[in-house]
Amino acid sequence: MAGRVTISDIAKAAGVSKTTISRYLNGNYGYMSAETRARIEEIIKKYNYVPNSIARTLKSKKSGMIGVIVNTLRYQVGAQTVTGINDICTKNGYGTIVHCTNGDRRAEETAVQLCLNQQVEGFIIIPCENSVAPYLEICERGIPVVICTRRLDDWPYGCVYVRHDELIQKMLLHLKEQGFEKVRFLLDVHDFHKEAMAGFFSAASAELFGMSREESIRWVGRESPAVCEALDALLHEYPGQSKAVMAVNTHTLFLTLRELERRRIRIPHELGVCGYDVIGWSELVYPGISAIRQPMDRMGIIAAEKMMESLREQRPTQGACALEGSLFFRNSTNLKAL
Amino acid sequence: MAGRVTISDIAKAAGVSKTTISRYLNGNYGYMSAETRARIEEIIKKYNYVPNSIARTLKSKKSGMIGVIVNTLRYQVGAQTVTGINDICTKNGYGTIVHCTNGDRRAEETAVQLCLNQQVEGFIIIPCENSVAPYLEICERGIPVVICTRRLDDWPYGCVYVRHDELIQKMLLHLKEQGFEKVRFLLDVHDFHKEAMAGFFSAASAELFGMSREESIRWVGRESPAVCEALDALLHEYPGQSKAVMAVNTHTLFLTLRELERRRIRIPHELGVCGYDVIGWSELVYPGISAIRQPMDRMGIIAAEKMMESLREQRPTQGACALEGSLFFRNSTNLKAL
DNA sequence: CTGAAAGCGCTTACAG
DNA sequence: CTGAAAGCGCTTACAG
């Protein structure tokens, strides 16, 4: 029956008013005799009383909850970010309400509304689209927002992101140095920041390989067939030129490697391969797959810490934090050593 | 200002009482003239009114939230399960409050309390330990619970689990048939059901390989060194006999393969390798790694569906659902073909 | 078909 | 140092 004890029961048992109990609960000991305080403490222990946080929230508008809105938890990127967020929030006495948007702007809108309605005290969002308007609106209500894994233009508040532009640029430079003549980027339509990634890649490939965006980018989904088709096409294009493919996330990289293995394509002779890999398996696949790794758990941790800070100091979130990713060059793009 | 409109504002604007608005909100149209209903609908649209769910929860004790308690989201097993749960809950208009326990019973206890305090309407739990007592207590309060990825003894309510006993048994049978003479299981101390898994493995290896539990089981963590030591030891044991190692989860399998690659151990000649792999990368690692795959997303989906059913019909959850995993025999355990 | 009133379990001016 | 009272935004007997 622990859950049924209310502040009135405690007040009665302690022989004081609800007001005094409430003050005790909120740590306002200043206005309280030591005896009263001790008595209340004892009674609360005895009755195993836990204040009802819903009632508290209704009155105070503070729920102790953070709204976390991500694309999906299905893949490591989102899951690890949320893990980091969860750890920090829990440590600070906050709970999280997690919603997945699957990249759908309307689902994101709904998720925000639901969280708002639950009186969340802050939002950590991996956004679907580029417009900052909806997030600014939240901030205007006085609710802090941290944007995660992206850097949005015109976003004056806190955000954490990875320098994908640099990572992609460096990977392409490496491919160029290794003597590759054409590159292609396999993008996932469901990805967090497909557009931004496409932009980085096409810019770098235009500069280094003289390729147009139409040449260098292909959109594939989470499903195998699209990846297979894209690879089939690439293998037949640019005859006589050395080509490389880059996969935008771990899953796409997996599908790519599986298809190349099925076709017995020799890597890197017939096709160079590289991509993002959060997990590390690419290291173990023959002949060793060159990969970009992003520190997803740190991203969540830093985002949540920014949120905690903002809540503590009662101000909007602030500061853009750029995280470094890591590059691993392995034999899958090593044309020169052969 | 959308969030600030209350039921009183709407009542005033519509020229009716709060009672009537409330009835409208809860779909009790039976006691309402068509005109009134239409007017209210219009006003609500106009003001963009959304009822405050905290106030609703306080009064009705129904929060529209499900408490989800898992070990961790860091690895695919938990993350995919939660993805499935999230999808189903969202589809049915429920939100989720996710807590990670990291396998700590006290953290689990705290998480349950926090959820209870948020008036969650049900729990989906991947439990830390074997005792059902704490979960039965929740049920006695009338709050439905689904236990996930485990089958607990004496648990009379709903649960979803994978038949690990069968999967492990079949894998060991396969190893036996392939001529392996000794087997060893690398277990993760942080795993969901380490004890149960250890039990299955030691039972099967006692029967098939005549090994004691002490011989067949090793506890390793999520960190590399413990795995390396365990492998080093195994490679020096049983000289002249063919040995195989099995990894309890994807991450442990990864660490195992990385270490074997570093040591240039020939698989399966010097050591047979198999393990759990939720992602599928093991297929791509030379010479093709035998693996067990469990349908984690389905697990979450089924668990959540059981919960929705129970909520709809206002009864405890029911039924144990055993999911089939899949076995993939590849060259890493193929001693005979060589 | 509709509404006044009490109450869910807290917090917080206000008064003493 | 302490408490009575109002109120957060809803729901729900009860009465008409």
Side-chain angles (χ1 to χ4, degrees):
Chain A
M1 291 294 103
R4 324 230 47 181
V5 181
T6 75
I7 199 172
S8 301
D9 302 325
I10 300 297
K12 210 169 293 167
V16 295
S17 71
K18 294 191 294 174
T19 307
T20 302
I21 303 295
S22 178
R23 279 203 265 263
Y24 174 89
L25 293 175
N26 292 289
N28 299 329
Y29 306 132
Y31 304 90
M32 199 177 301
S33 72
E35 306 98 278
T36 307
R37 181 174 167 183
R39 189 147 32 92
I40 293 176
E41 188 170 351
E42 188 189 337
I43 298 283
I44 285 181
K45 276 260 158 58
K46 180 177 160 198
Y47 283 80
N48 214 332
Y49 167 66
V50 181
N52 177 323
S53 47
I54 296 292
R56 238 172 173 172
T57 301
L58 179 59
K59 190 66 189 152
S60 69
K61 310 296 178 213
K62 301 277 173 191
S63 63
M65 299 298 258
I66 304 295
V68 178
I69 298 181
V70 301
N71 184 331
T72 175
L73 294 174
R74 179 158 280 119
Y75 303 101
Q76 298 271 332
V77 192
Q80 291 203 9
T81 306
V82 173
T83 302
I85 292 172
N86 240 329
D87 283 355
I88 299 300
C89 288
T90 303
K91 211 165 285 171
N92 286 273
Y94 283 87
T96 55
I97 297 179
V98 180
H99 284 282
C100 299
T101 62
N102 294 304
D104 176 20
R105 178 70 192 105
R106 280 186 42 216
E108 184 182 281
E109 175 64 24
T110 308
V112 168
Q113 285 307 328
L114 285 170
C115 286
L116 242 22
N117 205 3
Q118 290 286 334
Q119 320 275 15
V120 297
E121 293 184 42
F123 279 95
I124 300 176
I125 302 179
I126 299 179
C128 288
E129 289 174 14
N130 268 313
S131 159
V132 293
Y135 316 125
L136 286 176
E137 225 171 76
I138 301 174
C139 294
E140 272 157 25
R141 296 189 183 203
I143 301 172
V145 178
V146 175
I147 295 295
C148 208
T149 90
R150 274 181 99 156
R151 183 190 170 84
L152 295 175
D153 297 328
D154 310 319
W155 178 249
Y157 303 112
C159 69
V160 195
Y161 63 102
V162 173
R163 296 292 316 253
H164 291 288
D165 50 350
E166 277 183 9
L167 291 167
I168 290 175
Q169 164 85 21
K170 280 182 190 161
M171 185 58 91
L172 289 192
L173 206 57
H174 161 77
L175 293 176
K176 177 84 177 175
E177 285 168 4
Q178 287 292 323
F180 286 100
E181 294 159 281
K182 293 291 175 186
V183 293
R184 181 151 294 163
F185 196 32
L186 298 189
L187 268 159
D188 188 324
V189 271
H190 301 106
D191 230 54
F192 292 156
H193 22 201
K194 39 190 182 218
E195 285 305 335
M197 300 289 271
F200 298 151
F201 194 89
S202 66
S205 63
E207 183 195 329
L208 293 167
F209 297 88
M211 295 173 75
S212 71
R213 185 180 163 118
E214 286 66 40
E215 271 189 296
S216 60
I217 303 281
R218 283 299 173 277
W219 296 94
V220 298
R222 297 280 194 198
E223 305 303 323
S224 186
V227 173
C228 298
E229 278 170 40
L231 289 170
D232 188 65
L234 177 58
L235 288 165
H236 290 93
E237 283 173 81
Y238 311 114
Q241 294 193 279
S242 55
K243 300 160 283 190
V245 67
M246 175 160 167
V248 72
N249 58 40
T250 312
H251 185 67
T252 307
L253 182 59
F254 170 70
L255 294 177
T256 300
L257 290 168
R258 195 171 64 177
E259 177 64 8
L260 295 176
E261 153 124 353
R262 204 183 61 74
R263 289 167 170 260
R264 309 212 172 283
I265 300 295
R266 285 155 56 239
I267 302 173
H269 316 65
E270 293 175 71
L271 188 66
V273 181
C274 59
Y276 277 83
D277 175 18
V278 230
I279 327 183
W281 280 87
S282 58
E283 177 187 348
L284 298 179
V285 176
Y286 184 83
I289 309 298
S290 296
I292 294 175
R293 189 158 195 174
Q294 27 177 349
M296 297 315 295
D297 45 348
R298 287 212 58 221
M299 171 154 303
I301 289 170
I302 292 175
E305 279 172 347
K306 276 187 184 298
M307 178 55 66
M308 295 300 114
E309 239 175 74
S310 143
L311 256 20
R312 210 177 303 123
E313 298 173 15
Q314 308 200 34
R315 52 153 178 77
T317 65
Q318 56 185 227
C321 173
L323 294 174
E324 298 290 318
S326 325
L327 284 156
F328 299 92
F329 300 126
R330 304 200 178 97
N331 281 333
S332 69
T333 53
N334 195 347
L335 222 43
K336 284 207 167 155
L338 301 163
Chain B
M1 292 293 103
R4 324 231 47 183
V5 181
T6 75
I7 198 172
S8 302
D9 301 326
I10 300 298
K12 210 169 295 167
V16 295
S17 72
K18 294 192 293 174
T19 307
T20 303
I21 303 295
S22 178
R23 279 203 266 263
Y24 174 89
L25 293 175
N26 292 289
N28 299 329
Y29 305 131
Y31 304 90
M32 198 176 300
S33 71
E35 305 97 279
T36 307
R37 181 174 166 183
R39 188 147 33 92
I40 293 176
E41 188 170 351
E42 187 190 337
I43 298 283
I44 285 181
K45 276 260 158 60
K46 179 175 159 198
Y47 282 80
N48 214 332
Y49 167 65
V50 180
N52 177 323
S53 48
I54 295 293
R56 238 170 173 174
T57 301
L58 179 59
K59 190 67 188 152
S60 68
K61 311 295 178 212
K62 302 277 174 193
S63 63
M65 300 298 260
I66 304 296
V68 178
I69 298 181
V70 301
N71 184 331
T72 175
L73 294 174
R74 179 159 280 119
Y75 303 101
Q76 298 270 333
V77 192
Q80 291 203 9
T81 306
V82 173
T83 302
I85 293 172
N86 240 329
D87 284 355
I88 299 300
C89 288
T90 303
K91 211 166 285 173
N92 286 273
Y94 282 87
T96 56
I97 297 179
V98 180
H99 284 282
C100 298
T101 63
N102 293 305
D104 176 21
R105 177 70 191 105
R106 279 185 43 217
E108 184 182 280
E109 175 63 25
T110 308
V112 167
Q113 286 307 329
L114 285 171
C115 286
L116 243 22
N117 206 2
Q118 290 286 335
Q119 320 276 15
V120 297
E121 294 184 40
F123 279 95
I124 299 177
I125 302 180
I126 298 179
C128 288
E129 288 174 16
N130 269 313
S131 159
V132 293
Y135 316 124
L136 286 175
E137 225 171 76
I138 301 174
C139 294
E140 273 157 24
R141 296 190 184 203
I143 301 172
V145 178
V146 176
I147 295 295
C148 207
T149 89
R150 272 183 100 157
R151 184 189 169 83
L152 295 175
D153 297 328
D154 310 318
W155 177 249
Y157 304 113
C159 70
V160 195
Y161 64 102
V162 174
R163 296 291 317 254
H164 291 290
D165 49 351
E166 278 184 9
L167 290 167
I168 291 175
Q169 164 85 20
K170 280 182 190 161
M171 184 59 91
L172 289 192
L173 206 57
H174 161 78
L175 293 176
K176 177 83 177 176
E177 285 168 4
Q178 287 292 324
F180 286 100
E181 294 160 281
K182 293 291 175 186
V183 293
R184 180 151 294 163
F185 197 31
L186 297 189
L187 268 158
D188 188 324
V189 271
H190 300 106
D191 230 55
F192 292 158
H193 22 201
K194 39 191 183 218
E195 284 305 336
M197 300 289 273
F200 299 149
F201 194 89
S202 65
S205 64
E207 183 196 329
L208 294 167
F209 297 88
M211 295 173 74
S212 72
R213 185 181 162 119
E214 287 64 40
E215 272 189 295
S216 59
I217 304 281
R218 283 299 174 277
W219 297 93
V220 298
R222 298 279 194 200
E223 304 303 323
S224 186
V227 173
C228 299
E229 277 171 40
L231 288 171
D232 188 64
L234 177 57
L235 288 165
H236 290 93
E237 283 173 80
Y238 311 114
Q241 296 193 279
S242 54
K243 300 160 283 191
V245 68
M246 175 159 167
V248 73
N249 58 40
T250 313
H251 185 67
T252 307
L253 181 59
F254 170 70
L255 294 177
T256 299
L257 290 168
R258 195 171 65 176
E259 177 63 8
L260 295 177
E261 153 124 355
R262 203 183 61 75
R263 288 165 170 259
R264 309 213 171 282
I265 301 294
R266 287 155 54 241
I267 301 173
H269 317 65
E270 292 176 72
L271 189 64
V273 180
C274 60
Y276 277 84
D277 175 18
V278 231
I279 328 184
W281 281 87
S282 58
E283 177 188 348
L284 298 178
V285 175
Y286 184 83
I289 308 299
S290 296
I292 294 175
R293 189 157 194 175
Q294 27 177 350
M296 297 315 295
D297 44 349
R298 286 213 59 220
M299 170 153 303
I301 289 171
I302 292 175
E305 280 172 348
K306 275 187 184 298
M307 179 55 66
M308 295 300 115
E309 238 176 76
S310 144
L311 256 22
R312 211 176 301 124
E313 298 172 15
Q314 307 199 37
R315 52 152 178 78
T317 64
Q318 56 184 227
C321 173
L323 294 174
E324 299 290 318
S326 327
L327 284 157
F328 299 93
F329 300 126
R330 304 200 178 96
N331 282 332
S332 69
T333 53
N334 194 347
L335 222 44
K336 285 206 167 155
L338 301 165

